[in-house]
Amino acid sequence: RDNNKNWASTAAKKMSKLEKLCPHFHLSLQSGSDDILRAMNRHYTTAEFSDAVDRLRAAFDVVSVTTDIITGFPTETEENCKQSLEFAKKIGFAKIHVFPFSPRKGTRAYDMKEQVPPDIKKRRTAEMLEVAKESADAFYSAKVGKVVSVLFEHRKGDLFTGLTPDYAEVGVKTDCDLTNKILTAKIISSRGESCLGELLENGGKDFGEEKGI
């Protein structure tokens, strides 16, 4: 295991040197409870997952981590649910895709006897969605005041929007068509799962051609 950890650290550092690699990693957690991970037949623990995230954050100056979490998996107790909520808070994901467990015929989980009742599953999903909102708010709020590179894609209302290398959505007010341009913006505020920025260097009118894709 020590050799694996050393390899993981080395790999993360090597990835951080790749100019064309965007520092956004989707690591599918599924549950923040070790008991439920075992029930799901997942071959990792929350400690190993946390260690992987720590190594990525140590290797990259800026990095975002997103995930998937299932609520109400068969055999999940209130304590398991609490563990999953607390672990999600601890990691601080940029985004959590939350899914209530949906039984599918032909799977082992479908035949498990300890199915979680729909009303409890609904409540646990709402609780995890609240954690997801808090985590996303923290991720975007931390970008306020930062100068970032944005690959602009399309217009949304009065804003032209795009993504930073770590997959944060940024919108700027401009009359220019910024489609497929990589420009620099300063983040002035955050709102939900997006940021409002202002373009630097003449609003993007006279630059961006070299970095256009």
Side-chain angles (χ1 to χ4, degrees):
R1 296 237 172 184
D2 288 339
N3 287 336
N4 287 341
K5 289 181 178 181
N6 291 335
W7 178 88
S9 292
T10 300
K13 290 176 182 177
K14 286 184 177 180
M15 287 191 293
S16 71
K17 305 300 182 185
L18 300 175
E19 293 183 2
K20 294 185 178 181
L21 186 146
C22 289
H24 166 74
F25 296 88
H26 186 79
L27 307 179
S28 191
L29 173 63
Q30 301 296 342
S31 176
S33 165
D34 286 326
D35 289 340
I36 299 304
L37 289 176
R38 283 191 292 271
M40 291 177 168
N41 199 30
R42 293 278 165 176
H43 302 292
Y44 54 86
T45 65
T46 53
E48 289 169 332
F49 187 96
S50 181
D51 182 72
V53 173
D54 288 345
R55 290 173 191 278
L56 288 172
R57 287 175 172 165
F60 289 84
D61 293 330
V62 177
V63 65
S64 66
V65 179
T66 58
T67 199
D68 306 309
I69 294 179
I70 294 174
T71 57
F73 189 82
T75 75
E76 184 184 71
T77 64
E78 288 297 326
E79 181 61 25
N80 295 150
C81 176
K82 181 180 178 181
Q83 291 167 350
S84 200
L85 291 168
E86 290 303 317
F87 187 75
K89 291 178 184 178
K90 171 191 169 185
I91 295 296
F93 294 102
K95 185 177 181 65
I96 304 174
H97 301 273
V98 182
F99 303 95
F101 172 74
S102 179
R104 183 182 302 174
K105 287 186 178 181
T107 64
R108 188 176 68 172
Y110 182 87
D111 295 321
M112 287 182 176
K113 294 181 179 180
E114 298 177 61
Q115 298 288 327
V116 176
D119 59 329
I120 295 179
K121 193 186 301 183
K122 182 177 180 180
R123 172 177 57 79
R124 292 177 183 175
T125 299
E127 290 172 347
M128 187 60 75
L129 285 170
E130 182 60 30
V131 171
K133 180 181 181 302
E134 292 172 358
S135 294
D137 287 346
F139 172 71
Y140 281 95
S141 294
K143 293 196 172 295
V144 176
K146 302 287 181 63
V147 174
V148 298
S149 177
V150 184
L151 168 58
F152 287 96
E153 298 180 324
H154 49 253
R155 184 173 293 282
K156 286 185 180 179
D158 62 339
L159 299 178
F160 217 98
T161 66
L163 298 170
T164 62
D166 60 336
Y167 216 68
E169 182 178 280
V170 176
V172 299
K173 292 184 178 181
T174 179
D175 295 326
C176 300
D177 181 358
L178 305 182
T179 306
N180 287 341
K181 290 184 182 292
I182 299 176
L183 306 178
T184 306
K186 182 175 182 179
I187 304 302
I188 57 177
S189 66
S190 64
R191 51 178 189 179
E193 294 186 13
S194 66
C195 289
L196 180 64
E198 55 185 17
L199 288 173
L200 303 182
E201 298 189 39
N202 198 26
K205 293 180 181 178
D206 298 329
F207 80 120
E209 294 301 322
E210 285 189 4
K211 294 185 178 180
I213 60 173

